[in-house]
């Protein structure tokens, strides 16, 4: 069942989204060669909880950390640990923040120091694929319109589209109906209605689209070892379009 949020619920999700934006702004200043992913995780936990939120990932189906830190060929669900970031890495921070019972979910890929042209290309076009998906959000359009826009953009730029993972509805639960795949046909799938809130999250790769799960049962890497990028926003369907509930401060999306 796809829930329609009330004005009060939307306001709470906006609040969670604002804390999310501040969390990203705070963490991105700390990203530099030498910091470990578990240090970033601790900073995230402290910042979110001090500001009245809870990092929903912590304890979710046994997940052992507050956020996901996915480096280079890790697509999603990288568990923070002893790994020290180094010049040339890319890292995705994927964070879910709950405020007064309501969640916001966002992910962003960052460059550490000087990165290769192909990583720059991957990041730029994965972010653009997210905005192409978001542009399809309005009442009367279908989930498949979003999926198709993301897939077409990714294919036109020769990037791999991970198919096993998808976006989702969100509210009191981090994952609600509907699924929001990153591939599909226009005009298919559930119809968007004012008051729905969905997470759109293209996960694109520089190489093939295939992935595998590591022995920790969480970390998902590209099969061919090529890098992956992942950008995600929580998006409200409004009367005539959309509102991004997790906007990046001082950034274009
Ligand atoms: N943002 C991720 C998602 O959409 C959250 C994963 S949290 C974890 O699925 F707990 F599953 F790691
Ligand atoms: Co998500």
């Amino acid at each position: 069942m796809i829930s329609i949020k009330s004005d009060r619920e939307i306001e709470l999700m906006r609040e969670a989204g604002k804390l999310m934006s501040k969390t990203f702004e705070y963490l991105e200043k700390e990203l530099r060669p030498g910091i470990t992913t578990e240090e970033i995780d601790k900073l995230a936990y402290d910042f979110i909880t001090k500001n009245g939120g809870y990092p929903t990932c912590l304890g979710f189906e046994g997940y052992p950390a507050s956020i996901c830190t996915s480096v280079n060929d890790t697509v999603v669900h990288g568990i923070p640990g002893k790994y020290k970031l180094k010049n040339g890495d890319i890292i995705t921070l994927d964070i879910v923040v709950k405020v007064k019972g309501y969640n916001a979910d966002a992910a962003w890929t960052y460059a550490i120091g000087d990165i290769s042209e192909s990583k720059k290309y991957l990041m730029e076009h994965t972010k653009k694929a997210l905005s192409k998906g978001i542009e399809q959000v309005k009442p009367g359009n279908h989930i498949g319109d979003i999926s198709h826009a993301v897939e077409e953009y990714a294919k036109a730029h020769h990037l791999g589209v991970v198919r096993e993972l998808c976006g989702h509805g969100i509210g009191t639960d981090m994952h609600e109906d509907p699924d929001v795949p990153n591939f599909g046909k226009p005009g298919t799938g559930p119809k968007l209605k004012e008051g729905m809130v969905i997470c759109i999250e293209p996960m694109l790769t520089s190489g093939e689209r295939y992935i595998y799960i590591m022995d920790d049962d969480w970390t998902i890497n590209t099969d061919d070892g090529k890098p992956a990028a992942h950008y995600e926003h929580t998006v409200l369907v409004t009367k005539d379009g959309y509102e991004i509930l997790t906007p990046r401060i001082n950034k274009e999306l």
Side-chain angles (χ1 to χ4, degrees), residues 57 60 63 68 77 94 96 105 168 174-175 201 218 232:
C57 290
F60 175 82
Y63 186 74
C68 301
H77 302 168
D94 187 356
V96 187
D105 183 356
H168 48 90
M174 152 162 89
H175 294 146
E201 47 179 319
W218 282 105
E232 174 178 18

